[in-house]
Amino acid sequence: MELSEIVGILEEIAPPELAEEFDIGRIGLTLDLDNDVKRIAVALDPTEYVLERAAQIDADLLITHHTLIFHSVNLISKELAGLLKLALDNGISLYSMHTNYDRAEGGVNDVLARRLGLVDVKDVGMGRVGRIDECSADVFVNHVSKSLNTHLQYVGEKDSIKNVMVFGGSGFKDDFLEIARENDVDAYVSAELKHDVLRNYDDILLVDATHYATENPAMEELCERLKNMLNIDVEFIDNDPFIGVI
């Protein structure tokens, strides 16, 4: 299957125009080898492990959420050179779908809302707001941990949880948290919780379920979606960087 044909399908799934302004020029084909694609690999990040695994399965295209090259490059580091060499030596084109996939219907935030069992889900831009059966904060955080198969940290005192906002990735930012407040949410699930947020939003149960665990489910589902759409092999590569807690 021609690479350009697959790119067209990916752009239908996550239209580039949905991307945040900072992502312009950073999504889509990072490495375009204009190759014939017989096998696709899908992962959250283009790490060394992921690229090596993609090479082992003879993938011609690696689709990731995060791009290999985000900032402008004036000097190619040894690490970047090694990753590019892996891709080039094995004929692997690279494609990323970032904030456009966050916003897209059926993308990162829709999948996260579905994994947590939210109903009456509302699109609030980058995030989603929905309801769950009313429960205690302890029950809710345990539900999040089990649903995403992840460790987590949380803060905030709430007697009960019913209205929930989710935001895959690093969503603990004022703009998004204010949207949560405007929607009267009891709990907000995202990643990369910071100290200033703890102090300023103590009226909401803040659940940090890790960057990987809040975004990875959408890449798993993208893999299954592509399997059903394309007449070629598609394999998901899991590479959670979390080791453990003490």
Side-chain angles (χ1 to χ4, degrees):
M1 192 170 187
E2 290 186 7
L3 177 60
S4 59
E5 187 178 353
I6 295 173
V7 167
I9 291 169
L10 293 173
E11 290 185 349
E12 288 180 7
I13 292 172
E17 58 268 23
L18 293 180
E20 293 285 278
E21 186 175 351
F22 67 79
D23 254 347
I24 295 174
R26 294 184 170 99
I27 57 172
L29 280 170
T30 306
L31 180 60
D32 180 1
L33 299 182
D34 193 26
N35 48 340
D36 185 41
V37 178
K38 298 182 178 66
R39 181 167 292 156
I40 297 173
V42 178
L44 187 69
D45 302 292
T47 62
E48 182 178 10
Y49 172 84
V50 166
L51 278 162
E52 287 178 344
R53 177 60 187 161
Q56 288 171 1
I57 65 171
D58 295 323
D60 309 292
L61 171 64
L62 171 63
I63 302 168
T64 59
H65 187 49
H66 300 126
T67 183
L68 179 62
I69 303 173
F70 186 78
H71 297 291
S72 298
V73 175
N74 296 312
L75 174 67
I76 297 178
S77 66
K78 182 178 180 181
E79 179 184 10
L80 178 56
L83 294 173
L84 286 171
K85 188 174 188 301
L86 264 172
L88 288 167
D89 285 351
N90 292 281
I92 305 171
S93 290
L94 304 177
Y95 185 96
S96 68
M97 41 207 302
H98 193 215
T99 51
N100 52 324
Y101 192 44
D102 289 327
R103 286 182 177 273
E105 183 178 349
V108 168
N109 289 301
D110 279 336
V111 172
L112 181 55
R114 186 162 59 248
R115 289 284 176 103
L116 296 185
L118 302 191
V119 297
D120 297 331
V121 176
K122 179 171 63 172
D123 183 341
V124 291
M126 290 288 283
R128 300 291 188 267
V129 172
R131 292 187 299 103
I132 59 167
D133 290 338
E134 192 167 357
C135 63
S136 69
D138 285 346
V139 168
F140 178 71
V141 295
N142 275 287
H143 167 66
V144 173
S145 179
K146 290 178 181 177
S147 298
L148 301 180
N149 190 30
T150 186
H151 70 292
L152 52 75
Q153 59 178 341
Y154 64 97
V155 66
E157 295 186 15
K158 299 289 291 187
D159 292 332
S160 65
I161 306 298
K162 185 174 183 180
N163 297 319
V164 177
M165 180 169 170
V166 298
F167 187 114
S170 52
F172 286 112
K173 297 173 183 175
D174 289 341
D175 290 351
F176 309 127
L177 286 159
E178 287 303 322
I179 292 172
R181 272 183 173 159
E182 290 167 9
N183 284 274
D184 296 319
V185 306
D186 306 304
Y188 184 94
V189 180
S190 190
E192 299 184 21
L193 185 57
K194 296 182 179 179
H195 182 69
D196 61 328
V197 173
L198 305 183
R199 294 174 60 88
N200 296 332
Y201 296 92
D202 57 0
D203 54 321
I204 303 172
L205 178 69
L206 305 174
V207 183
D208 183 341
T210 79
H211 201 124
Y212 192 87
T214 55
E215 293 185 330
N216 198 52
M219 301 311 290
E220 291 179 313
E221 293 206 11
L222 175 65
C223 182
E224 294 305 311
R225 193 170 175 181
L226 292 174
K227 283 180 182 179
N228 293 327
M229 294 176 69
L230 307 175
N231 191 29
I232 56 178
D233 292 333
V234 187
E235 179 172 320
F236 179 71
I237 303 173
D238 200 357
N239 185 209
D240 190 342
F242 173 67
I243 297 174
V245 292
I246 57 172

